[in-house]
Every structure is written in structure tokens, then in C-alpha cells.
Amino acid sequence: MTAYIAASAFMDPAARYRGQNPPLSEASIQSILNGHGTNPDVPILQRTWAWLTNIFLHGDFGTTVNGSPVLTEIMTRAGVSLKLLLIGTLLGALLGVVLGVWGAVRQYKGSDQLVTYASYLIIATPTFVIGVVLMILATNFNNAVGDNLIRFTGEYTVDIDPGFFPWLADQFSHMLLPTIALILMSAATYSRYQRSVMLDVLSSDFIRTARSKGRTRRSALVRHGVRVALIPMSTYFAYAFGTLVAGSAMLEVVFSWKGMGEFTINSILQSDINAAAGSVLFIAVLTLISSTLSEVLYAALDPRVRI
């Protein structure tokens, strides 16, 4: 509801139709806006109530400026984004945790310094720059081998040969670069957070107690240290996953993926109130789901929570 009110307050959906050639009459513009339920002449609270009523009574999230149902667009594009996000984020989180633990154990050594500098460089680099650099590298690779092995425009190739294996190879080719970009972005962030948490754990009394009872350094770190350090990471992962939709938006634009990120950007550029509110709702639901999963992971890591 807050997203719908904010979008209605700051967006001007009528501006999309003014200045067209041939020009539309003011009556036609008003009729179009009334059809979408986004007429700014109607009070915001009245429009918000109508929007909420349609959602709860009919499951109708309104229509986009192109006339397609918002819910249909979200369901179609959510699968595209989640396919990219789940793989890239999970692999990035796993790599980030490993690098963070490695950096904490080898604090201030050469490998730790290398990972630290590389992580800060990736974090400071805009998302679209990472995507463009990967595209340049892939283009050079394709030219070197003399074949278009890595394809990075769109989610799939339209004229792909029939059959499961050609389809699978095409899917892998198109997913490779955006997935690598997400892995790099996620791993850089998670490694910094995991390193900080792991350093606190290494100085804890229970690590020294485990060592004094005869455990090796590796056993104490893996069995006790890493497990305890992962507890705050589970909470961080939950809320970071929801916001990754926004972070992957530019990647979807760069690689021409028709996912929720592109849908959200287009809704803002086109002053599409219904689509913008639906996008925020999708991110909120995704955050709630990931938060629930983090609670399950938290309980698996910390026996006190289960009790």
C-alpha cells in the first residue's frame, strides 16, 4: 500500500500520453488513465482503496501502461529473475563465506590482502560496468576460438536446434555471464562480512577451550568457529537476497533479460504506477520468504533456538 501511495504521489502517468504524434485529446488521456485506475485527478486514498479492493477480492493488481495484467507480467518475469538470482546468489554466498573464513584465518597475509583488494574493487565497480567488461571478454574469447560459444544477449536463442541437449547448452551459454557477475558481486560482499564475523569468533573463549581439550586447529575452526560465524550470516543473507532484485536490475538490462529487474526499471521510466507497486510487492514477498528460510537456517546452526 505504501508503495502504491508513493508511486501515485511522485509519478505522472499522464506525461506518457502528452506530446504524442498525433496528439491525444485530454478526454482520451483521462479515459486511458481511468481504465488503468491511475488518474491523478482522483484522490490518492480513493485510488489506493480501489487498488487494494481489487487485489483482495479479485486478485487483480491492475494493468500496465501497455495493457497487460501486472500479475501475469510478474509471474512470467519472476521465473526469469529467480533462475538467475538463485544460482548466482547461492554460489556467490558460498564462495564469499569460504573466502571470508580463509581471509580471517590468514589475516594480513598475501592471500587475505589479495581477496580484500579484489572485493573492494568489485564492490566499488558499478553493476553495468562488470557486465560490459564480461561481455568484452566473452567477445574476445569467441573471436579467439572462431565460434560464438558464449552468448550473452537475451535469455535464450530463438532459432536454437530442437532437442534437450542443444537447449541445455544454449541455456548455459546465456546464463554464464550474468551468473558470473552475480557471483562476483555477492562473493565480494559476503566475504567482507564473513571475514569480520570470523575474526570475532577466532578470539572467542570457546575456540581456545576446544583447542585445550585436544582438538586440532582445523577441527576447532570448522566444527565450532565456522558454525558460529554462520549464524549472523543467515540473517544477513535473508535481507540481502530480497534487495538483490534491485541489484540485478542493471544486469538484466545489460544482458537483455526480461526479468523483474527490467520490469521495475521500465515501470519507473514509464511512470507505470501499477507495475511499480507490483514490483515492490514482489520484492517484499521475496524478502519475507528468504527471512523465513533464514530462521530455519538459524535454528539448524544454533541449538538454543530449537530449544
Side-chain angles (χ1 to χ4, degrees):
M1 184 177 70
T2 303
Y4 186 87
I5 293 175
S8 299
F10 294 104
M11 291 183 177
D12 183 14
R16 170 183 171 84
Y17 305 100
R18 297 193 178 102
Q20 292 187 357
N21 190 17
L24 292 176
S25 64
E26 192 63 29
S28 299
I29 295 176
Q30 294 291 322
S31 177
I32 294 173
L33 295 178
N34 287 329
H36 293 312
T38 57
N39 192 335
D41 293 336
V42 178
I44 291 180
L45 293 181
Q46 181 178 337
R47 280 183 282 151
T48 304
W49 176 254
W51 182 71
L52 290 174
T53 302
N54 287 331
I55 291 176
F56 288 112
L57 295 183
H58 309 291
D60 182 11
F61 289 79
T63 56
T64 67
V65 293
N66 298 320
S68 58
V70 171
L71 183 59
T72 302
E73 288 283 347
I74 291 177
M75 293 179 65
T76 302
R77 293 171 177 268
V80 176
S81 293
L82 290 177
K83 179 172 65 174
L84 177 63
L85 284 172
L86 287 175
I87 298 176
T89 305
L90 292 176
L91 291 179
L94 180 61
L95 178 61
V97 168
V98 173
L99 291 176
V101 172
W102 175 264
V105 173
R106 301 179 60 84
Q107 187 180 15
Y108 301 136
K109 294 186 178 180
S111 57
D112 178 38
Q113 297 288 350
L114 179 62
V115 172
T116 298
Y117 293 144
S119 298
Y120 284 133
L121 177 61
I122 294 173
I123 293 172
T125 304
T127 304
F128 71 91
V129 174
I130 296 177
V132 171
V133 169
L134 289 176
M135 292 168 68
I136 294 174
L137 294 176
T139 302
N140 293 333
F141 174 80
N142 289 337
N143 293 334
V145 299
D147 195 3
N148 192 24
L149 294 179
I150 301 178
R151 303 182 180 185
F152 46 76
T153 302
E155 182 191 354
Y156 55 87
T157 303
V158 177
D159 56 348
I160 189 67
D161 295 334
F164 174 76
F165 290 106
W167 171 84
L168 183 63
D170 181 68
Q171 288 287 305
F172 177 81
S173 177
H174 283 274
M175 287 188 63
L176 181 61
L177 294 190
T179 301
I180 290 176
L182 270 179
I183 290 174
L184 291 176
M185 294 161 51
S186 300
T189 304
Y190 285 117
S191 66
R192 297 302 86 207
Y193 192 83
Q194 181 65 52
R195 180 182 182 274
S196 176
V197 175
M198 191 65 188
L199 286 174
D200 292 337
V201 171
L202 290 177
S203 59
S204 300
D205 293 335
F206 63 86
I207 295 293
R208 290 192 292 269
T209 301
R211 292 295 307 276
S212 66
K213 289 185 176 181
R215 286 196 176 273
T216 63
R217 183 170 183 267
R218 175 177 296 182
S219 175
L221 290 177
V222 173
R223 187 175 180 84
H224 299 286
V226 175
R227 183 174 182 176
V228 173
L230 284 175
I231 293 176
M233 284 294 294
S234 63
T235 304
Y236 176 76
F237 175 79
Y239 296 101
F241 184 76
T243 57
L244 267 177
V245 177
S248 66
M250 290 308 301
L251 280 181
E252 292 184 4
V253 173
V254 170
F255 292 105
S256 301
W257 279 53
K258 305 298 181 181
M260 281 302 301
E262 187 203 47
F263 183 66
T264 303
I265 291 178
N266 288 337
S267 69
I268 297 173
L269 295 177
Q270 297 174 353
S271 294
D272 193 339
I273 296 174
N274 292 331
S279 300
V280 174
L281 179 62
F282 169 76
I283 296 175
V285 171
L286 196 63
T287 303
L288 288 174
I289 294 175
S290 58
S291 178
T292 302
L293 293 177
S294 76
E295 294 296 331
V296 176
L297 180 59
Y298 198 112
L301 293 171
D302 191 349
R304 296 172 300 177
V305 177
R306 295 195 298 268
I307 296 175

